[in-house]
Amino acid sequence: MRRSSLLASVCLLALGLGGGFLAAGAIPAVAADPANDKAAADEVVAKVNGTAISLSDISLADEEMGQALARLPEEVHFQYLLGMLIDRRIIALEAKAKKMDDDPMVKRRAAYYDEKALRDVYWVQMMRDKVSEKAVKAYYDEHIAKAEPELEVHARHILVASRDEAQKAIAAIKGGQKFEDVAKSMSKDSSSQEGGDLGWFKKGDMVPEFADAAFKLKAGQVSDPVQTKFGWHVIKVVETRRAKKPTFEEAHDDIMRGIAREQGTKVMEDLRKKAKIEIVGAEGQRPQVAPKPAQ
C-alpha cells in the first residue's frame, strides 16, 4: 500500500473509522492531496450504462466494507467490491429513472453522507501534519532505536483450579517428575499436550499476575502457585533473551497508528470541549429508533 493511502486510513482509524484497505498500491480512501484524488478519479475500472466506476470508488467501498472482507484473497476482495459497486450503480440509475431524487428518505441519507464526507476529509487534512513521517521517525529513534531491547521469556505452565492442586503439581516436580509430564497429566490448559509450552512472550503479552511471576524467574526455576482470572498456575522458565529490535520499516505502520490514536484522542477531546452539546430528553423518555424492516 502506498504511504499516502496508509496515512489516510490511519487518520480515519484514529477517529474510530475505516475498514480494510486494498493492497498493491491502492488509491487512498481520502487522498493525501488533491492531485492524487484527481488522478484516482481518472482511473476507470468499469462502466455501467455509460457511467464510470473508478479506482477511487473502489477505495471508498473498501473503507466501507474492507473489514468484513479482510480475509479474502486480494483479487477476490477487489472483484467483490467492484461487483457490489456495479450492482449499486445499476439500482441507483434505475431509481433516478423513476424520479426518486426528491424522495425524503433519499434526501435524508444524502445529508447524512454529506456530513460524513466533510468529517472524513477534514479530519485527514487536520491530522496529516500530526502523523507525519518526521513524527514517526522521531518516535522510532526515541522509543525503539535508543531503548534497551525488551526482555522475552520462553516458559511452560500448568493450569489447575485450586491452590492445593498447584501445590500437588509442584510436589510432583520436586519429587522427580518432569514438568512436561505433570503438565500433560494435570493441566487444564490447551497447551497441556505440548507439556505446557507457551513459547516466547513479552511481559505485556500476559495478564499482570502471570507476567510478574514469570519475569522474576531465572532459566530452569519453577514458581510458587500463581493465581490469575484463569485459575492457578505453576510456571517454569525455560530460557530468556532480549527481543530483536524491529527496523524502522518494520515498526513504521504500528508507530503511525499509535501516533494517530494518541493525537486523534487529543484533538477530539479539544473539539468536544469547544462544542455546545445538549442531550435532549431523559434516558427513559427518548423515542426508540425504528426497527429495521425484515429482510
Side-chain angles (χ1 to χ4, degrees):
M1 184 193 300
R2 290 204 303 249
R3 283 280 167 85
S4 60
S5 179
L6 176 64
L7 174 59
S9 299
V10 163
C11 288
L12 289 175
L13 285 168
L15 189 56
L17 308 171
F21 356 92
L22 298 176
I27 301 301
V30 181
D33 58 67
N36 281 347
D37 194 36
K38 188 176 182 208
D42 290 339
E43 297 184 55
V44 175
V45 293
K47 290 186 177 181
V48 178
N49 295 338
T51 65
I53 295 174
S54 68
L55 277 177
S56 59
D57 295 320
I58 295 285
S59 188
L60 287 168
D62 189 50
E63 178 190 323
E64 177 187 352
M65 296 287 296
Q67 192 66 40
L69 307 178
R71 295 188 179 182
L72 293 179
E74 180 187 328
E75 184 61 27
V76 177
H77 188 147
F78 181 92
Q79 292 299 331
Y80 183 96
L81 293 173
L82 179 58
M84 180 189 76
L85 288 177
I86 288 171
D87 289 347
R88 180 182 292 180
R89 182 67 55 83
I90 289 169
I91 295 172
L93 291 173
E94 180 70 12
K96 282 188 176 183
K98 300 292 185 183
K99 310 296 183 185
M100 292 279 298
D101 305 63
D102 292 329
D103 186 286
M105 287 297 292
V106 173
K107 289 186 174 182
R108 182 70 209 107
R109 285 173 178 262
Y112 178 87
Y113 286 107
D114 280 349
E115 184 178 80
K116 179 181 182 299
L118 282 167
R119 175 198 61 184
D120 290 358
V121 175
Y122 176 68
W123 183 264
V124 171
Q125 292 178 352
M126 181 171 54
M127 292 288 290
R128 190 184 303 143
D129 291 339
K130 299 179 184 295
V131 194
S132 64
E133 285 297 308
K134 183 178 179 181
V136 174
K137 184 64 165 63
Y139 184 96
Y140 178 84
D141 290 343
E142 181 65 26
H143 297 280
I144 297 178
K146 293 180 182 178
E148 184 179 4
E150 193 172 356
L151 187 65
E152 291 182 318
V153 163
H154 176 199
R156 297 178 182 273
H157 83 136
I158 298 165
L159 175 64
V160 290
S162 68
R163 175 185 279 274
D164 286 346
E165 288 180 276
Q167 293 286 14
K168 288 178 183 178
I170 292 171
I173 294 164
K174 288 181 176 179
Q177 292 189 48
K178 290 183 177 181
F179 190 99
E180 296 93 316
D181 293 338
V182 178
K184 288 178 182 179
S185 63
M186 294 187 66
S187 182
K188 309 301 181 184
D189 189 63
S190 58
S191 65
S192 62
Q193 293 312 302
E194 286 73 48
D197 195 351
L198 296 172
W200 289 97
F201 56 87
K202 297 181 176 65
K203 196 167 186 178
D205 295 336
M206 298 296 182
V207 294
E209 301 89 347
F210 189 99
D212 288 344
F215 279 78
K216 287 176 182 175
L217 299 173
K218 295 179 181 179
Q221 287 185 322
V222 176
S223 73
D224 291 329
V226 177
Q227 186 178 23
T228 72
K229 63 183 179 180
F230 302 106
W232 288 86
H233 307 257
V234 179
I235 306 166
K236 178 181 179 179
V237 168
V238 180
E239 53 185 326
T240 63
R241 69 184 182 191
R242 290 288 172 182
K244 180 183 175 183
K245 288 184 180 181
T247 65
F248 175 68
E249 283 299 317
E250 290 168 342
H252 179 278
D253 293 357
D254 285 340
I255 295 173
M256 182 178 278
R257 291 185 183 96
I259 294 173
R261 282 192 297 269
E262 180 182 352
Q263 292 298 323
T265 298
K266 290 179 180 177
V267 169
M268 202 63 238
E269 286 177 353
D270 187 53
L271 289 173
R272 286 196 188 102
K273 288 176 183 176
K274 295 176 182 177
K276 182 180 179 182
I277 301 171
E278 299 177 73
I279 307 298
V280 180
E283 187 68 38
Q285 298 173 340
R286 290 180 194 153
Q288 297 296 310
V289 176
K292 293 181 180 179
Q295 300 294 319

